[in-house]
């Protein structure tokens, strides 16, 4: 299952989540989360992440995972402030000195029940 892309060219936002069956049947992998430089520092990244998590919950996902570059300190800070924690790489062959994998438990959605 893949979510519809959450995107707005005007706001400079783009992302999507997909079911990551090899990790678990209720695990959503957040992919390609991006906020253009001109749109940064306005809380849009947090809003985009919250929208993705909400959509994943509505589709029965109980965990969100993602990867980012080890040197991307701004987004690592965002993810940790939003409740994500570092985990072992979930993609074989990933070098943790280059990539960081993170995970967050997603509480069930009240509207999905």
């Amino acid at each position: 299952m893949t979510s519809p892309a959450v995107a707005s060219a005007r706001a400079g936002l783009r992302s999507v989540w997909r079911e990551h069956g090899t990790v678990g049947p209720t695990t959503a992998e957040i992919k390609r989360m991006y906020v253009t430089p001109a749109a940064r520092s306005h809380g849009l990244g947090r809003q985009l992440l919250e929208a993705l998590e909400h959509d994943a919950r509505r589709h029965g996902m109980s965990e969100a995972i993602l990867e980012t570059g080890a040197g991307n300190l701004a987004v690592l800070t965002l993810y940790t402030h939003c409740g994500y924690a570092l985990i072992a790489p979930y993609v074989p062959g990933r070098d943790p000195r280059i990539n960081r994998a993170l995970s967050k438990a997603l509480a069930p959605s009240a509207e999905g029940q």
Side-chain angles (χ1 to χ4, degrees):
M1 170 185 303
T2 301
S3 72
V6 175
S8 169
R10 192 180 81 187
L13 306 175
R14 183 166 305 277
S15 194
V16 66
W17 69 266
R18 67 178 182 165
E19 185 178 298
H20 200 286
T22 57
V23 173
T26 60
T27 299
E29 181 182 27
I30 295 174
K31 300 291 291 180
R32 297 176 185 87
M33 189 163 138
Y34 184 76
V35 177
T36 61
R40 293 178 187 162
S41 300
H42 300 287
L44 298 174
R46 180 182 300 269
Q47 291 174 30
L48 179 59
L49 186 59
E50 289 171 354
L52 290 165
E53 292 171 355
H54 177 77
D55 190 57
R57 279 187 200 96
R58 282 190 327 104
H59 286 87
M61 301 294 115
S62 62
E63 177 186 31
I65 58 174
L66 54 85
E67 284 187 312
T68 194
N72 195 340
L73 300 180
V75 80
L76 285 167
T77 299
L78 169 67
Y79 292 147
T80 56
H81 283 162
C82 289
Y84 285 79
L86 291 172
I87 60 172
Y90 57 88
V91 176
R94 290 284 203 244
D95 184 342
R97 294 172 295 178
I98 298 170
N99 299 87
R100 295 286 189 266
L102 297 100
S103 174
K104 177 182 177 178
L106 300 176
S109 171
E111 64 183 68
Q113 297 175 352

